Amino acid sequence: MKLLRRFHTLNRYRFLMCLLGIICITALSLQAQNLPVTGKVTAVSGLPLIGVNIQVAGTSNGTATGADGSFKLNAPAGATLKFSFIGYLPKEIKVSNTNPLTITMEEDVQKLNDVVVVGYGTQKKATLTGAITTVEMIDKVGQPLTNASNALQGVPGVFANMSNSQPGVDRSTIRIRGVGTLSGNDPLVLVDGIEYSMDELNPNDIESITVLKDAAAAIYGSRAANGVILVTTKKGRGDAKVNYSYYYGIQKPTYLPDIIDDPIQYMKLKNQANINEGKAPDYADADIAEYEAGMKTDPITYPANNWYDIALKNGIIKKHDISVAGSAEKYQYRLSLGYLDRDGILFGPGNHEKKYSIGLNASMNVSKRLKVGVTLDGYYRNYTQPFYTDTWSYLSRALPILTDTLADGRYGNSWLRTPGRNNWENPRMLAYNGLYTKVVQRFLSTIFAEYKLPFDITYNIKFGVDKYDGLLTGFTPRMQTFNPKTDAAINWNAPATAPRSSKEDFNNMNIHFYNTLNWQHQFAGNHNVSAMFGSSYDNFDADNWATSMYGYLDRTLDAFDAGTVWNATNGNVTRDVLESYFGRVNYDYDGKYLLELTFRSDGSSRFNPQKRWSTFPSASAGWRIDKESFFKSKFINLLKLRVSAGQMGNQAVALYSNKSTVELGEDYSFGGTLNSGAANKSYADPDIHWETTTTYNAGMDINLWDNRIGLTLDAYKKRTTDILREVNIPAQIGNLAGPKQNVGTVDNTGVEFTMQYKDNVGALDYSLYGSVSYNKNEVVDLNGEIIYGSDGTITKAGSMIDAFYVLQADGIFQTQDEVNHHAKQSVNTKPGYIKFRDINGDNIINGDDRVLVNASPQMPKYTYGFGFSLGFKGVSLTTAFQGIAGVKVLPTANLAYPFNNGANATKEWATDAWTPENPGARLPIVTTSTGSVDNYQRSTFWIRDNSYLRMKNIQLGYALPERWLSKVKISKLSIFVNAQNLFTISKYKDFDPEAILDRTTLYSYPMLKTYNGGLNVTF
């Protein structure tokens, strides 16, 4: 019985424990049970918001509001709902019960309250009256930007052209709203307010790049005629963080000429070209037969070489960046280090680059009134190139019959006699022997202070030192090539001058100082006034020298002490000073009526004292129509009109152009003896003064549909007067170069349009953007002078700068009778030749029959860019497209023309050239461009449309969820892969259309496709 009672007692305990467990589980399940949550989302105005994204925090559960702003979903009690909508501030609500929720979302006016960098300060976007475009570098994260200037491609009103991808020199040429002068069109670039090259900065240290395109640039009047670019470096913000980023990429050429690489085809076509000229073939039939047979057994003596395949490889690019940054109430700091390593696509050591960067930005609030700080931006970099820098020219001249190396490793040439190739340029020999190394260290160091004076006045002072040290060292050994059949040697460089070494040293010190007084005050609640007055001083000192030495025993020692024959030494010292005074006044009434006035007075040492100073004023105004009481629109959120006018200057003339200079090295003969001497070789005009550019701009900014859509439209006109340029004088006046004078007027007129759209569908965020710019360039006056360019261009009143001036092609002659009845071209003209139009009707084709083609090889009429981005639960896809139109090119010489001075030809000449059997051919009869120049005169036949559309970048990224990263103490971690210059759409197929701009040849370092991937992590 006792045992039975114990059993029943135990069973009761078990029952009670089981019951308690069931109760706990039920309670827990009730607590975790999803509750039906309903509600409605509206704006402050009460209007329902459609498409608001609602997410249960920490889960993939979510929904979006319907047409009436309502929503419904299930969520656990205590869960947090996240509400997000484009143009509105995000909101979070905890789920506590099933009562319907009423959510009011406030409009995100932060974008309007955001500030943009302007001259000597910042302004709110909402009250901005100038034409300004800002590039946020956070949007470029992961892209293989080796130089910051390349980030400006596709920016409205800006033409950024990178025509050379060679490691170390791959930077963009930048033009803002056209080409306005004949003396220098580069914009002024300032880094944190100090003049400096943006390409000497690590792109990862840059926060934003702002382009001032209209009168907004006038505050920098002296050098603002070509626009101003303001670069802002990153600062520390928030809690201390360490950020590390890395990417690795492979690079390949985008376009290469399609050369003939079959030796037999090459020799037969070259012979046919000679025959068509009435000349004997270069290669005997017996030699061709021997070569064809030998190719089967002896590829060294009888090679079939495609030299682009031999010389090019995959390039490698890799980059590391690490930074530590943070801020508190009294201080902020950011310290960064960067490393870039690139190995180019050309074989040999002559296209390698390494960059080491450092960045420091720190400031401290010493007291409530005083703030002090320092910045340091610096690079130590080096890059290499072959000693004989025309590598790509040599490569374009390499023939399939050229032997690479002999069996013992010596460099080959060819046993076949080829006119124009007495000294064979072996690309491998020239790439692997002889090297230039450029080492540069450049640092911009600044100290600054800000002191708050009484009456709302702030005094700012900044002092900066820009130190540039560059050393270019070169050495070339003696080089020989060998006949693969006879073993005979040919000296590539003369034994008297090789081996040789050279050094060129660059020492520049630039000092910059400016200080400003800033004041702002609000009157009667609605009247806002601010003013800034300041002065600046800029001093540019340069000390450069160069020397070289011959007489080396071999290539083992290349120091100067190892040489025995001094060659030459030269150098120069220059100084350039600019002093300026400037000011700005801003007024706005209730954010509706906006006004800005600026002035700047500059004095330049490049002009004589009487012409040294000039003043550049500007004014701009704006009207926020959307803030008017009479303006009632639920669709338009922002409507602002802007107008501006201002003057800016340009002093882009060589130093000492206002003075008559004497040059050494002009020897005189006295009594039959040559004596060293000097002479004045050019005239100088002491009255030269500033160029002046007057710019007018009218613009409009519109935000629509709850700020989902943003539109900007600008129309402008720039007129540059008193252009500084060299004026030609008759040769009989001492055969002297003409003076620099202020002669000429040029107009640039254009429009710019940009559009942005952002929205979301549930958890999917998406955005689109696009911009297009049009610019018309016209020379208004050159005082009657016409400037003829050697590349078939002309600059004169009524045309654009460097318009083409060439013969008018009128098809191809088909019969001898057609030749006989046409104006005389030359004694060589025959069927298959290009027919030129007799413009002046004198029955003779010559230079008087040239016509003006109003298109330029250097500046497109249209530039545009567009792209889109998608984001879904940490996954992102972004694209960027860039293009130009209304631009033409006229390439000449090697590979653009066939068999130029012993060079090769492209395959199209074997298939598309005129023959009696192929009368409708695209190309004229094949001849050598050196021996028969008739077809290769500069004419409309060879002008090519160089418009293109390029996918500049596409990137796929993934940000790992924070709930994963928190377990390993990582704040953020994202990985990405991207491709740059992935594809291009263009009618021009001979070379990369971007690389050929403003060039006349096809032999330059080609543009590159880059495939890379990497990560970005924050601790």
Side-chain angles (χ1 to χ4, degrees):
M1 290 295 295
K2 187 181 292 185
L3 183 61
L4 185 60
R5 282 196 300 271
R6 287 180 180 178
F7 177 77
H8 285 294
T9 302
L10 184 60
N11 281 341
R12 284 197 301 269
Y13 284 138
R14 286 178 177 176
F15 174 77
L16 290 173
M17 292 297 293
C18 184
L19 181 61
L20 181 61
I22 292 172
I23 293 172
C24 290
I25 292 172
T26 302
L28 288 173
S29 65
L30 288 173
Q31 184 178 357
Q33 181 179 1
N34 284 341
L35 302 177
V37 182
T38 60
K40 186 175 183 179
V41 182
T42 65
V44 175
S45 63
L47 291 174
L49 295 179
I50 307 168
V52 175
N53 182 48
I54 306 165
Q55 200 78 24
V56 180
T59 74
S60 59
N61 183 25
T63 187
T65 58
D68 59 352
S70 63
F71 68 92
K72 181 179 179 180
L73 81 168
N74 294 323
T80 299
L81 299 183
K82 292 185 175 183
F83 296 79
S84 61
F85 190 52
I86 299 297
Y88 287 80
L89 295 172
K91 201 161 191 175
E92 294 185 358
I93 298 292
K94 277 197 173 184
V95 175
S96 58
N97 52 52
T98 59
N99 295 333
L101 299 174
T102 300
I103 308 298
T104 302
M105 298 189 71
E106 298 179 3
E107 187 176 348
D108 185 2
V109 297
Q110 181 63 38
K111 291 298 180 183
L112 294 178
N113 290 329
D114 280 352
V115 296
V116 295
V117 177
V118 295
Y120 303 100
T122 59
Q123 286 185 12
K124 290 182 178 181
K125 287 183 180 179
T127 59
L128 197 63
T129 55
I132 294 177
T133 300
T134 299
V135 176
E136 301 291 347
M137 292 299 284
I138 193 172
D139 298 330
K140 307 290 183 179
V141 171
Q143 296 184 19
L145 294 174
T146 54
N147 285 298
S149 59
N150 303 334
L152 293 178
Q153 292 185 324
V155 173
V158 178
F159 175 52
N161 173 238
M162 187 177 75
S163 60
N164 190 334
S165 292
Q166 179 180 336
V169 295
D170 54 335
R171 53 194 60 185
S172 292
T173 298
I174 298 172
R175 299 289 179 260
I176 298 175
R177 290 186 167 180
V179 174
T181 180
L182 304 176
S183 55
N185 288 279
D186 291 333
L188 173 66
V189 178
L190 299 112
V191 175
D192 292 332
I194 299 294
E195 183 173 351
Y196 193 67
S197 168
M198 74 172 81
D199 289 321
E200 298 291 3
L201 293 174
N202 181 353
N204 199 56
D205 288 339
I206 298 175
E207 182 173 282
S208 66
I209 302 175
T210 300
V211 184
L212 311 183
K213 297 180 287 189
D214 68 341
I219 194 68
Y220 297 106
S222 58
R223 293 159 295 165
N226 300 313
V228 176
I229 297 174
L230 305 178
V231 179
T232 303
T233 59
K234 291 179 179 178
K235 299 176 178 62
R237 291 186 177 89
D239 296 335
K241 290 183 175 63
V242 177
N243 180 265
Y244 169 74
S245 61
Y246 167 77
Y247 67 73
Y248 177 95
I250 296 174
Q251 299 186 305
K252 302 172 180 286
T254 53
Y255 283 72
L256 290 172
D258 191 16
I259 59 171
I260 296 174
D261 53 7
D262 180 346
I264 307 304
Q265 184 185 42
Y266 159 76
M267 287 188 281
K268 289 182 177 180
L269 189 64
K270 179 68 178 299
N271 282 349
Q272 185 61 52
N274 284 351
I275 292 170
N276 291 341
E277 294 176 28
K279 300 176 182 177
D282 284 348
Y283 306 106
D285 290 342
D287 289 338
I288 295 176
E290 177 189 340
Y291 203 104
E292 190 168 16
M295 289 170 61
K296 300 174 183 177
T297 58
D298 186 359
I300 292 179
T301 308
Y302 308 95
N305 285 333
N306 183 317
W307 276 95
Y308 283 104
D309 288 345
I310 294 172
L312 303 185
K313 57 183 176 61
N314 287 343
I316 301 296
I317 180 171
K318 48 190 174 183
K319 193 171 192 295
H320 301 264
D321 284 288
I322 188 168
S323 66
V324 55
S327 68
E329 182 180 354
K330 290 190 175 183
Y331 62 84
Q332 71 83 23
Y333 64 90
R334 184 180 185 272
L335 175 65
S336 67
L337 297 172
Y339 171 67
L340 172 70
D341 188 2
R342 289 186 65 195
D343 190 25
I345 61 172
L346 181 69
F347 61 5
N351 62 152
H352 197 93
E353 174 190 24
K354 287 187 177 182
K355 287 182 178 180
Y356 306 85
S357 69
I358 184 171
L360 172 65
N361 192 322
S363 63
M364 175 179 289
N365 296 323
V366 179
S367 67
K368 291 183 178 180
R369 292 186 176 272
L370 178 62
K371 177 181 178 181
V372 297
V374 297
T375 67
L376 173 66
D377 295 290
Y379 254 143
Y380 176 86
R381 58 184 176 87
N382 62 74
Y383 64 90
T384 59
Q385 58 184 342
F387 187 88
Y388 293 99
T389 55
D390 291 336
T391 305
W392 293 94
S393 174
Y394 302 143
L395 194 58
S396 72
R397 289 176 53 76
L399 301 177
I401 60 173
L402 171 63
T403 295
D404 185 358
T405 58
L406 307 185
D408 58 5
R410 291 178 296 165
Y411 300 106
N413 51 51
S414 178
W415 58 272
L416 287 164
R417 174 75 177 92
T418 301
R421 308 307 297 273
N422 295 324
N423 195 352
W424 290 85
E425 304 100 340
N426 185 300
R428 184 183 295 276
M429 176 186 69
L430 296 171
Y432 280 93
N433 295 269
L435 192 68
Y436 270 122
T437 301
K438 181 74 176 284
V439 177
V440 173
Q441 53 185 24
R442 187 171 185 179
F443 294 88
L444 174 62
S445 308
T446 71
I447 57 174
F448 61 90
E450 177 185 293
Y451 190 78
K452 295 181 180 179
L453 298 166
F455 308 108
D456 299 321
I457 299 174
T458 302
Y459 176 63
N460 290 277
I461 184 171
K462 177 171 279 192
F463 177 79
V465 177
D466 169 14
K467 186 67 175 74
Y468 176 96
D469 294 291
L471 181 63
L472 179 63
T473 303
F475 182 82
T476 179
R478 183 180 175 188
M479 300 184 200
Q480 292 180 312
T481 61
F482 295 86
N483 187 309
K485 182 181 282 190
T486 67
D487 210 36
I490 299 176
N491 291 322
W492 160 252
N493 43 18
T497 60
R500 72 177 182 271
S501 65
S502 64
K503 286 186 184 296
E504 195 168 353
D505 189 69
F506 307 87
N507 297 279
N508 299 340
M509 171 77 83
N510 304 327
I511 295 175
H512 307 276
F513 172 80
Y514 75 81
N515 58 135
T516 62
L517 286 170
N518 295 269
W519 172 79
Q520 59 181 11
H521 195 75
Q522 188 176 67
F523 298 93
N526 293 322
H527 299 271
N528 300 289
V529 180
S530 65
M532 180 275 294
F533 298 97
S535 66
S536 66
Y537 174 85
D538 302 277
N539 185 95
F540 304 86
D541 287 318
D543 184 357
N544 306 320
W545 62 266
T547 189
S548 59
M549 185 74 73
Y550 296 164
Y552 288 82
L553 180 64
D554 54 26
R555 70 179 68 190
T556 305
L557 299 175
D558 59 4
F560 273 14
D561 284 350
T564 59
V565 180
W566 168 79
N567 179 38
T569 300
N570 59 73
N572 62 76
V573 177
T574 62
R575 187 185 185 199
D576 185 19
V577 177
L578 185 71
E579 187 176 340
S580 307
Y581 302 91
F582 49 86
R584 178 176 56 226
V585 177
N586 291 87
Y587 169 79
D588 79 77
Y589 173 73
D590 198 25
K592 288 190 292 188
Y593 310 118
L594 318 170
L595 178 67
E596 177 175 295
L597 303 173
T598 73
F599 81 93
R600 184 172 181 117
S601 183
D602 292 296
S604 171
S605 64
R606 299 192 183 207
F607 307 122
N608 283 334
Q610 301 87 343
K611 303 292 182 179
R612 185 159 291 170
W613 288 89
S614 189
T615 300
F616 306 98
S618 77
S620 60
W623 180 22
R624 283 284 302 275
I625 300 176
D626 60 285
K627 295 177 73 70
E628 294 286 1
S629 58
F630 65 78
F631 187 84
K632 304 292 183 181
S633 175
K634 297 178 181 179
F635 183 66
I636 299 177
N637 308 105
L638 168 72
L639 177 57
K640 179 169 65 173
L641 302 182
R642 298 176 282 106
V643 292
S644 68
Q647 289 188 326
M648 294 156 281
N650 189 356
Q651 55 163 350
V653 65
L655 292 175
Y656 316 117
S657 294
N658 59 323
K659 302 181 184 302
S660 295
T661 57
V662 176
E663 298 184 31
L664 298 175
E666 300 301 317
D667 299 336
Y668 293 80
S669 178
F670 292 99
T673 302
L674 196 64
N675 296 273
S676 60
N680 185 345
K681 300 179 65 177
S682 63
Y683 276 117
D685 182 355
D687 293 327
I688 58 174
H689 53 270
W690 293 91
E691 284 184 10
T692 301
T693 295
T694 304
T695 180
Y696 307 92
N697 191 94
M700 178 171 58
D701 303 317
I702 307 176
N703 285 0
L704 307 171
W705 197 13
D706 292 322
N707 293 308
R708 290 184 180 92
I709 299 174
L711 305 173
T712 299
L713 177 65
D714 281 281
Y716 64 87
K717 180 173 183 177
K718 292 198 315 179
R719 168 161 286 194
T720 303
T721 56
D722 291 339
I723 290 177
L724 286 162
R725 65 181 184 87
E726 183 176 305
V727 177
N728 294 327
I729 59 176
Q732 59 264 35
I733 305 179
N735 199 29
L736 301 178
K740 303 295 191 302
Q741 291 186 327
N742 293 93
V743 178
T745 301
V746 172
D747 281 352
N748 282 277
T749 307
V751 294
E752 300 164 3
F753 175 73
T754 63
M755 181 277 293
Q756 294 183 355
Y757 176 77
K758 293 183 179 181
D759 205 346
N760 66 280
V761 178
L764 175 67
D765 296 318
Y766 64 92
S767 66
L768 304 99
Y769 72 90
S771 69
V772 61
S773 305
Y774 166 77
N775 183 82
K776 178 186 177 183
N777 177 264
E778 182 180 1
V779 178
V780 178
D781 176 52
L782 285 179
N783 198 27
E785 186 177 356
I786 297 176
I787 302 172
Y788 297 96
S790 60
D791 54 352
T793 59
I794 189 172
T795 300
K796 69 173 186 176
S799 76
M800 63 194 311
I801 294 176
D802 285 337
F804 286 111
Y805 190 57
V806 295
L807 295 175
Q808 176 69 57
D810 199 15
I812 295 176
F813 287 112
Q814 298 297 325
T815 65
Q816 186 61 44
D817 185 63
E818 192 177 352
V819 174
N820 296 340
H821 289 85
H822 189 266
K824 183 179 179 181
Q825 296 189 179
S826 79
V827 295
N828 300 317
T829 308
K830 61 182 181 180
Y833 275 40
I834 298 172
K835 183 195 307 181
F836 302 117
R837 189 172 298 175
D838 183 13
I839 298 298
N840 63 0
D842 63 359
N843 212 34
I844 298 174
I845 301 299
N846 55 28
D848 295 334
D849 294 300
R850 287 175 292 179
V851 296
L852 188 146
V853 179
N854 205 25
S856 168
Q858 62 171 299
M859 187 67 203
K861 294 179 181 178
Y862 298 91
T863 60
Y864 59 95
F866 61 90
F868 65 85
S869 65
L870 302 172
F872 183 77
K873 298 181 180 179
V875 179
S876 62
L877 176 68
T878 61
T879 65
F881 293 81
Q882 175 250 338
I884 62 174
V887 62
K888 298 183 184 295
V889 294
L890 203 170
T892 62
N894 299 346
L895 300 184
Y897 294 158
F899 308 119
N900 183 71
N901 193 30
N904 201 346
T906 51
K907 292 177 180 177
E908 62 183 354
W909 287 97
T911 58
D912 297 348
W914 185 95
T915 66
E917 298 75 31
N918 186 23
R922 182 174 59 87
L923 298 172
I925 189 171
V926 62
T927 60
T928 68
S929 58
T930 309
S932 180
V933 299
D934 296 53
N935 282 335
Y936 307 103
Q937 299 182 76
R938 288 183 170 86
S939 72
T940 57
F941 189 92
W942 301 111
I943 291 179
R944 299 286 185 259
D945 182 354
N946 202 48
S947 304
Y948 69 82
L949 168 62
R950 165 162 284 168
M951 174 178 269
K952 203 62 190 174
N953 190 268
I954 181 169
Q955 179 167 297
L956 178 65
Y958 178 60
L960 276 68
E962 294 182 10
R963 64 180 182 276
W964 297 0
L965 301 177
S966 60
K967 298 177 181 179
V968 289
K969 307 301 181 183
I970 295 177
S971 299
K972 296 179 182 179
L973 174 60
S974 60
I975 55 177
F976 59 85
V977 292
N978 67 42
Q980 186 159 313
N981 298 334
L982 186 60
F983 69 83
T984 304
I985 301 173
S986 177
K987 293 180 180 179
Y988 185 74
K989 303 297 184 183
D990 296 340
F991 202 56
D992 191 290
E994 184 176 357
I996 196 63
L997 270 173
D998 206 21
R999 292 182 180 273
T1000 58
T1001 65
L1002 302 185
Y1003 32 96
S1004 64
Y1005 208 105
M1007 300 294 289
L1008 301 177
K1009 294 179 183 179
T1010 304
Y1011 306 88
N1012 74 305
L1015 59 86
N1016 194 310
V1017 57
T1018 301
F1019 301 93

